[in-house]
Amino acid sequence: MTDQPDSSPGVAGAQGSNVVVDLREYRSNKDPVPVTFHRRELDAILRIYGRMVGEGEWRDYAIDHTHEKAIFSIFKRSGEMPLYRVEKNPKLAAKQGAYCVLNAHGMILKRGHELEQVLRVFDKALKLIKT
């Protein structure tokens, strides 16, 4: 008995070391790697998150990494639905942009190819105060 897999001589050849593997089949059998936020992306998101926590508007967050997208959820209180979700979906990178910000109802507030541009939805507009 050996550690080598059984192979028929017609498929593997006479030597037994020439095995042909279909790359598409190999990739489909492997579990896909989940989509994640890179360090720079997390820095940009956490910079805005920290500012809003300091202003008392946000209190908690959660990060989810699935096989299709990465999600940064922002909460007012940890037991509620998220106020906002920042999503990264690489499948949409060539079309609408990989990044988007959604509100609690699932409505897309901003979508784009660059995260910094998409996160500007959280910038507050200055208001003129007449005295």
Side-chain angles (χ1 to χ4, degrees):
M1 202 149 203
T2 65
D3 291 338
Q4 299 296 324
D6 294 333
S7 62
S8 62
V11 174
Q15 298 174 354
S17 63
N18 298 333
V19 177
V20 177
V21 176
D22 184 14
L23 189 57
R24 285 176 289 187
E25 184 179 325
Y26 175 75
R27 286 182 180 161
S28 67
N29 288 338
K30 286 183 67 175
D31 287 334
V33 177
V35 178
T36 60
F37 288 109
H38 296 290
R39 178 66 184 216
R40 289 183 192 172
E41 295 166 338
L42 270 179
D43 285 344
I45 295 169
L46 289 173
R47 192 175 315 117
I48 291 174
Y49 176 79
R51 186 185 76 209
M52 299 302 260
V53 166
E55 293 176 7
E57 293 191 28
W58 299 345
R59 292 185 178 224
D60 201 6
Y61 71 91
I63 300 176
D64 297 315
H65 297 198
T66 66
H67 298 295
E68 295 177 4
K69 55 187 164 183
I71 305 166
F72 187 95
S73 302
I74 300 163
F75 298 89
K76 177 72 173 172
R77 292 180 195 84
S78 59
E80 296 180 350
M81 294 278 295
L83 289 175
Y84 300 102
R85 291 190 326 251
V86 179
E87 294 186 359
K88 175 184 176 182
N89 188 345
K91 290 182 180 178
L92 299 176
K95 299 175 185 174
Q96 304 165 354
Y99 304 102
C100 70
V101 174
L102 295 97
N103 66 6
H105 304 291
M107 222 169 100
I108 296 174
L109 302 177
K110 190 143 181 136
R111 178 185 297 268
H113 296 283
E114 296 183 22
L115 182 62
E116 296 287 337
Q117 182 69 25
V118 172
L119 292 176
R120 287 189 185 151
V121 75
F122 296 119
D123 290 344
K124 293 185 178 182
L126 298 176
K127 296 179 184 176
L128 179 62
I129 300 174
K130 296 183 181 181
T131 56

